[in-house]
Structure formats: C-alpha cells, structure tokens
Amino acid sequence: MSKNGKIQNYMNGQWQASTAVDYLNIVNPATQEMLGEVPLSPASEVGSAVQAAAEAFVEWRQMPVGDRIQYLFKLKDLLEENFEDISRTITMECGKTMGESRGEMQRAIENVEVACGAPTMMMGDFSEDIASGIDEIMIRQPVGVCAIIAPFNFPGMIPFWFLPYAIAAGNTVIVKPSEKVPLTMRKVFGLFNKLDLPPGVVNMVNGGKEAVDAILDHPAVRAVSFVGSTAVAKYIYSRGAANGKRVQAQGGAKNPIIVLPDADMEMTTRISADSAFGCAGQRCLAASIAITVGEARHSFTEAIADAATSRVVGYGLDEAVQMGPVITVPSKERIESLIQKGENEGAMVIVDGRSPSIPGYENGNFIRPTILTDVNPGGEIAKTEIFGPVLSLMHVNTIDDAIKLVNGGEYGNMACLFTSSGSAARKFRYEVQAGNIGINIGVAAPMAFFPFSGWKESFFGTLHGQGKHAIEFFTQTKVVVERWPRAWSRQF
Ligand code: NAD
C-alpha cells in the first residue's frame, strides 16, 4: 500500500501504483472505518501483468518441479510467521471472527502443503510395447498464464485453492482479488515479494469488471479459475470458453439440511447453528434451509431458535464474539429486504435479527441470526441465495419428500442430513444432487487434498480447485508414441 492508503498492483516482481482513475474505499464492516482505497485498474494494467507472466513462463516452466516447490516450502514458513497478522486483516476488512479468519488461513496453508506434492501429482504414464518396439508416454505440461478471480468471503483461502498448484505445475499467475477485500491478498503478495521468485511468476491486479473482462479477452491467458456468484460464474465461463480458455467457475448456493426425527437433537442444532450463522452466513457452504421430517419439527425449531438467540454478535477482533457483520451496507439492506419478502410470502419470523444495536458498533453492518418458519418452498426466500445469517425452516412428512425438495432446487453446492439411521444416510448420500455432502456434520471447506466440488448452478466446468483436480486443471497432457525398431540396435 502506498503512503496515501492506495493499494498498488504487483507485477513483474514489483509493486506498481495503478493509473486507475477510479478508486473504491475499503471499509471495515464492523466499524465503517476506512482502511484504504483500491484501484479499479484499467485493461492496460491487466495487459502489462499478462505480458510479465507470459515472459516469466518461458523460464519458469523449465525449472525442475522439485526446485519450483522449494518456493512453496518458504511460502508456508512465511504464512505461518505472519499467520496472526493476516488473520487480523481478514477480520478487519471482511468482518469475520478471529477464529474464522484463522481457520481460513489454516486451509490456505494446507493447500500450499498439498501443492508441494506436485512432483508426484504431475507424474505421467508410460506403456511399453503397445506394439512391437513401440512405446506410448503421457506427460503433463503447464498450460501457461493462468488467472484467478476471487470473491469477498474468503479473501485468504480461496486464491490458495488454485495459486500454489498453478505455479508448482510450472504456470505463471495473475490474481484479481475481490475489490471489497483486497488487503489480505496485498499482505500475501508482500510475502511473495520476499520469496525471490523470478519476476512475473505471480502477479496481482486489483479492480472490478474492466479488469476481469480484460483477463477473459486476453489471448495469452490460457486458464481462468473463478469463484463468486452464479450470475458472474456463468458469464465468466461462457466468455472465457468463447475465447478458447479452460475455465473452472464456482458459483452460488442455497444449501439445505434435513433433520430426521431420530437425530441427536442437541448435536444437530449446535452444528446447524454453526453452519447457518458461521461467517454471518456468508459461506457458499452455509446452511440456508432446514427441512424437518415428521416429529423432528418441534424439537428442532425450539432448539435452533435458542441457539440463534444466544449467539454472541459483535466485532470479530473481540475473541468472545461468535458472529461478525455482513460485508457492506447494501448487502445488509438486501438481506433484510429478503427477510421482509419471506414474511410477505407467508413465513413467520420467529427470531428476528434485523437492525440490532451492537454496543460500541452501532454503525456496523450487523444482522443478528434470524429464523423463519413455515417457509413456502415455492417462494423467493426459499430459492434465492441470501448470503446472510438467515435460516428458513420447512417441514415435510418423509425423507423422500425432503430429498425431492432438495433436488428440486437449482443449486447443488452442499446438503446435510442428521440422523442415527445408516440406511437413511446411505439413501441420502446416494440420491441427493449436490457436490458436498454432510452426514451428522456441517460441511466445512473440504481438506486441501479433496476437490471443492459443486453441482448444477453452483459450478461450471469439469475440474475443481484443490488437490489432484487442480493439478489436472493447470496441466495439459501430451501423448507421445515412439518407435525404436530392434533392427536399429547397435552394439557400442
Ligand atoms: P461476485 O460474483 O459479486 O464477485 C466475484 C468476483 O467477480 C469479484 O472479483 C468481482 O470483482 C468479479 N465481478 C463481479 N461482478 C462482475 C461482472 N459483472 N463482470 C465481471 N466480473 C465481476 O461474488 P461475491 O459477492 O464477491 O462473493 C459471494 C458469492 O460467491 C456468493 O454467491 C457465494 O455463494 C459465492 N461463493 C461460492 C463459492 C464456491 O465454492 N462455490 C465459494 C465462495 C463464494
């Protein structure tokens, strides 16, 4: 960041002041304190970053993979040394509790660790004598310049679903952080700057739509990894693909949990509350709908209402706080208007978190946990991604009805079941249409060696982020067939 609080871009191994005309304020969502300004970088700056990345690619791809990952080992050390500082930045710009910020940085580091396995994950295949004296070999090579476009809700973790794998595989990278929370990646790039990576291997361009469009249209960008809302994911996927790039685009969600009457109700409500209200509901894996089956209705409703009411809401830097604010004032207004819409559609607001007064943080974007019951499955509140601390309750008579309701939704990011029945759990796991499934557990971001899956309107593409999927996405295969006739053998 320059002295005047304006964030700089990072390209070709150097910090560079943007030539942007427009800047956005970076605002602490708990206090409304201004933390800095972020440039809406013009397309020409994306062009400079791509050029630096393309030039760096020539040498970087030739560096042995075992040498490339040495930079990741150093990066892991630096991330650990700066763990508290980066976590604090996440809390300040994104509004999370410190526990949530530390959790996401932990997962970021795990992705660096897993990417250090690139020498094994990049190994190819070899088949000898597919015909007499003919061998066939499959090798993996990097794709070139790759771009990562990130959302606001995990400013530290989400770029790491892709970045360490991309560079370990021999690619060079441009990161476009969310313009709402650019300070975390700014800190991370401060660490990259200490690694002595060859200039141009990692680059960061701040900005909004103009920067994204410049990435999507630049012929030298070969691959795009996107995480954000479904509308933008679809746009990125179609425009990137139309320009001949490989694209993986993760979108929004509307995640259901099903509670059967035989569930352990104490555990179920505790986990459901964490899932619905963790990160103030701003997680793509957050529970948004709870479907009770049969007699589960009354005990679950009562217990979840208690859990929602007792949650400690405030500024995340206070270690006792269990839930922070939502990201912006428009976001708070949108969430509150959706709650109103639910009421208009016939739902009952049994715990109303709208417009709370949080002592000391009266101007923050706070909404307390909110619970609606008798939500109409056909209504807007049941279908729209709220992305706030709001849980909608619905009721059905059988597990079949519940699964039907889940599979009727347009998204497919996550679904959970709470039960003590093994056969119900198996049925659910088998039939439910979602990429991340929880059984008697809320779904956190998968461990770094698993793909972050997503189905239906929650994902566009084939290969996901993290682990082996990421290595596959960031490499292209080359199949070589060779004939060495035995008659050519010479005695030396
Ligand atoms: P967003 O779609 O508004 O923004 C994401 C990125 O796209 C940002 O970098 C932004 O600058 C860019 N962008 C926004 N509008 C654009 C446009 N019109 N053209 C080009 N680029 C544009 O998402 P957000 O509000 O930052 O993040 C929240 C969303 O992300 C939620 O929908 C959430 O479910 C989703 N999300 C999904 C996952 C997942 O793994 N599926 C993970 C985290 C978040």
Side-chain angles (χ1 to χ4, degrees):
M1 190 136 63
S2 70
K3 280 197 184 113
N4 57 9
K6 291 190 159 134
I7 296 216
Q8 298 182 328
N9 293 326
Y10 186 85
M11 53 186 86
N12 210 19
Q14 285 176 340
W15 291 106
Q16 285 189 17
S18 174
T19 57
V21 179
D22 296 319
Y23 278 74
L24 297 178
N25 293 341
I26 309 159
V27 178
N28 182 324
T31 62
Q32 307 299 353
E33 177 199 358
M34 192 167 143
L35 303 172
E37 286 180 88
V38 61
L40 295 178
S41 302
S44 58
E45 285 172 7
V46 171
S48 305
V50 175
Q51 193 184 339
E55 284 168 14
F57 177 67
V58 177
E59 297 281 328
W60 181 248
R61 64 155 292 203
Q62 296 181 44
M63 184 184 284
V65 59
D67 293 347
R68 288 196 298 258
I69 63 167
Q70 297 310 312
Y71 291 98
L72 294 183
F73 286 118
K74 283 192 223 159
L75 176 64
K76 171 176 149 66
D77 288 346
L78 285 175
L79 287 168
E80 281 169 349
E81 280 163 29
N82 292 274
F83 187 80
E84 277 299 302
D85 182 38
I86 300 176
S87 302
R88 217 179 135 81
T89 301
I90 295 174
T91 290
M92 289 175 71
E93 69 173 349
C94 190
K96 295 188 185 204
T97 67
M98 278 302 287
E100 290 164 349
S101 299
R102 291 183 188 116
E104 81 158 280
M105 281 317 294
Q106 196 52 51
R107 192 51 49 82
I109 291 170
E110 281 169 22
N111 272 287
V112 176
E113 290 168 351
V114 173
C116 287
T120 312
M121 291 193 281
M122 281 186 74
M123 279 167 66
D125 285 323
F126 182 88
S127 190
E128 199 172 44
D129 281 332
I130 56 159
S132 182
I134 300 177
D135 305 328
E136 201 152 317
I137 303 161
M138 190 274 285
I139 51 181
R140 289 193 175 279
Q141 295 192 335
V143 296
V145 178
C146 302
I148 298 163
I149 302 164
F152 81 81
N153 64 328
F154 283 90
M157 175 181 73
I158 285 180
F160 279 90
W161 289 351
F162 314 106
L163 192 150
Y165 305 97
I167 62 173
N171 303 281
T172 54
V173 165
I174 293 151
V175 179
K176 206 297 283 173
S178 163
E179 61 275 39
K180 292 176 188 142
V181 290
L183 294 171
T184 302
M185 268 303 114
R186 195 253 162 240
K187 283 238 149 115
V188 168
F189 269 75
L191 304 183
F192 275 123
N193 197 36
K194 293 183 182 171
L195 284 184
D196 290 329
L197 273 163
V201 171
V202 292
N203 307 274
M204 178 175 67
V205 180
N206 287 287
K209 183 168 170 51
E210 183 175 347
V212 171
D213 287 348
I215 287 170
L216 296 173
D217 293 343
H218 200 301
V221 175
R222 301 308 310 139
V224 178
S225 303
F226 171 86
V227 181
S229 57
T230 290
V232 183
K234 276 185 179 169
Y235 169 75
I236 302 274
Y237 186 69
S238 53
R239 187 156 171 171
N243 285 330
K245 304 178 197 317
R246 51 174 72 186
V247 185
Q248 47 182 193
Q250 299 190 203
K254 183 79 184 172
N255 302 310
I257 55 177
I258 299 177
V259 184
L260 298 190
D262 64 357
D264 174 332
M265 217 40 88
E266 189 281 321
M267 181 187 80
T268 301
T269 37
R270 184 167 33 80
I271 293 172
S272 302
D274 287 346
S275 180
F277 309 131
C279 298
Q282 299 170 117
R283 288 192 311 127
C284 66
L285 294 172
S288 181
I289 297 170
I291 305 166
T292 50
V293 177
E295 288 159 19
R297 179 181 199 163
H298 297 295
S299 48
F300 180 78
T301 305
E302 208 173 295
I304 194 79
D306 284 349
T309 313
S310 59
R311 209 142 186 104
V312 181
V313 178
Y315 186 16
L317 286 187
D318 174 352
E319 298 276 354
V321 158
Q322 295 173 307
M323 196 183 96
V326 298
I327 188 72
T328 56
V329 173
S331 190
K332 177 177 150 98
E333 288 168 357
R334 192 185 55 81
I335 295 162
E336 291 188 340
S337 77
L338 278 166
I339 298 170
Q340 184 59 52
K341 181 106 196 170
E343 261 190 312
N344 299 347
E345 289 174 349
M348 276 176 41
V349 184
I350 60 161
V351 181
D352 192 346
R354 284 172 284 189
S355 306
S357 181
I358 307 294
Y361 302 103
E362 286 75 9
N363 295 326
N365 311 324
F366 290 99
I367 304 178
R368 289 191 55 85
T370 296
I371 297 196
L372 292 89
T373 60
D374 302 300
V375 170
N376 170 6
E380 192 180 331
I381 188 90
K383 295 180 179 167
T384 306
E385 180 179 39
I386 301 176
F387 225 54
V390 181
L391 187 64
S392 297
L393 271 47
M394 298 177 197
H395 183 70
V396 295
N397 293 321
T398 66
I399 185 171
D400 284 305
D401 293 341
I403 292 175
K404 201 169 161 198
L405 202 54
V406 169
N407 288 347
E410 58 184 288
Y411 296 101
N413 220 34
M414 174 287 243
C416 279
L417 176 73
F418 291 90
T419 184
S420 53
S421 156
S423 62
R426 186 178 189 282
K427 175 185 173 65
F428 172 78
R429 189 188 69 199
Y430 191 77
E431 294 181 12
V432 78
Q433 294 167 5
N436 297 281
I437 304 297
I439 294 178
N440 292 324
I441 192 164
V443 180
M447 295 297 289
F449 37 89
F450 281 96
F452 192 113
S453 206
W455 285 23
K456 295 160 79 176
E457 293 286 290
S458 297
F459 180 71
F460 305 91
T462 312
L463 293 163
H464 302 91
Q466 300 202 138
K468 283 184 272 185
H469 269 226
I471 291 287
E472 272 198 56
F473 183 77
F474 290 117
T475 53
Q476 48 196 343
T477 52
K478 187 180 267 181
V479 176
V480 183
V481 58
E482 292 186 357
R483 181 205 302 274
W484 294 104
R486 293 198 214 300
W488 293 3
S489 305
R490 284 197 217 133
Q491 299 292 329
F492 290 101

